[in-house]
Amino acid sequence: MAYGNLSRASLGAGAALNGAIPFPADNPWNTDISGADVDPASDRLIASIGADKGLYRDFGSGLWEGAPIGIPYQVVSGQQARLAIEYQAYGDESDPGPFPIPLDAPVEGAPGQNGDRHVLVIDRDNQRLYELGRAFARGDRWAADVGAAFHLDNNHVRPTAKPGWTSADAAGLPIFPGLVRYDEASQGAGGIRHALRFTAARTRRAFVHPATHYASSNTDANLPPMGMRVRLKTAYAIPASFSPEAQAILAALKTYGMFLADNGSDWFLSGAPDARWNNDRLRAELASVKGRDLEVVKMVGLVTQV
């Protein structure tokens, strides 16, 4: 393992990181929270998302409505040319370009389709992660609603950000570190050594570290805030019959948990597309894990106003 040093990563779209893990070992994304206290409101918060709803893999192999299933990414070298970014919506909460994002970098969703259109690029030599939201390649530059640059080699992950700022993710978090990737999941239990990312349909006008932004006007305390961390209960026995990929995901949820990062479908786990995913098997295995098998890690420092 190499925490906070991506230099060993391969190059290209969907490239393997070869054991490299974004951010230092003591970063919130990488810390073991299996023994942390349970939040007093855990039962209510889980119920608001769905105690009887199962986990769902929001990634896979093949195409769905003409697009790869999941959020793609690309690894580039430090020699990658930097292009200007024209912001269309949240320029005042974005990091200024230029960013080393190739014009042919993979974009989430089908060509020409609206939606989140995330673009994620890792500069492995300079230890930086660049993320755009609703991005379109236009001429010799990118147009995007929002963009953020993250430092992968230290815990001051986005030095320019202020409390209340968004990113390409609604919670103000980086997207890439929380993706389920085949190169890690295929190793089985223990292969994923970081927290994951999930969505919920209804969220609160609040956030908790490491999130920096909320995306709701609802102040109901029974709804989850952005940045809320959920883990798989210790008592849940991961079936030995499950695929190595499902075992890896569930083991990671026990050890590192998953952060609420965006508004979306309940209990949807984010991941990167890969031709090697077994969609049907993984969908069935994860669906058997219900909200009642999860619990909220105790939250400290809830922010409701910025």
Side-chain angles (χ1 to χ4, degrees), residues 64-285:
W64 174 256
E65 296 184 345
I69 306 170
I71 303 176
Y73 67 92
Q74 182 167 347
V75 180
V76 300
S77 75
Q79 302 304 311
Q80 178 63 46
R82 292 173 172 266
L83 302 180
I85 312 294
E86 293 182 350
Y87 291 117
Q88 311 296 308
Y90 301 100
D92 58 339
E93 297 180 21
S94 295
D95 293 310
F99 287 174
I101 300 180
L103 287 172
D104 61 354
V107 180
E108 180 187 15
Q113 188 180 62
N114 279 319
D116 290 339
R117 294 187 61 86
H118 291 120
V119 174
L120 318 180
V121 168
I122 299 159
D123 178 343
R124 70 174 188 182
D125 299 322
N126 292 303
Q127 312 303 328
R128 296 292 184 267
L129 167 65
Y130 299 90
E131 300 188 342
L132 301 177
R134 286 207 78 248
F136 297 83
R138 291 181 178 166
D140 61 352
R141 62 194 59 212
W142 284 90
D145 277 6
V146 63
F150 298 95
H151 293 214
L152 299 175
D153 53 357
N154 66 68
N155 285 330
H156 197 25
V157 299
R158 192 181 173 198
T160 59
K162 299 177 182 178
W165 276 27
T166 188
S167 65
D169 218 354
L173 295 167
I175 296 171
F176 177 77
L179 295 183
V180 180
R181 306 193 322 274
Y182 188 85
D183 64 303
E184 292 183 324
S186 60
Q187 300 174 38
I192 300 175
R193 298 179 177 89
H194 55 82
L196 303 179
R197 172 190 188 273
F198 80 103
T199 61
R202 297 189 303 148
T203 62
R204 193 192 325 178
R205 188 181 186 274
F207 63 83
V208 64
H209 182 76
T212 61
H213 185 258
Y214 46 68
S216 173
S217 60
N218 197 322
T219 58
D220 185 349
N222 292 318
L223 295 179
M226 289 295 176
M228 183 183 78
R229 194 172 198 154
V230 175
R231 70 179 173 217
L232 185 60
K233 292 178 178 178
T234 302
Y236 180 89
I238 301 173
S241 61
F242 274 13
S243 64
E245 294 79 22
Q247 291 189 43
I249 292 168
L250 297 180
L253 290 181
K254 280 196 173 191
T255 305
Y256 305 100
M258 57 182 176
F259 289 115
L260 176 58
D262 201 354
N263 296 311
S265 297
D266 291 325
W267 300 131
F268 271 40
L269 281 167
S270 301
D274 195 293
R276 295 168 290 183
W277 291 119
N278 184 325
N279 291 350
D280 292 340
R281 183 176 183 183
L282 192 56
R283 180 174 59 243
E285 291 168 340

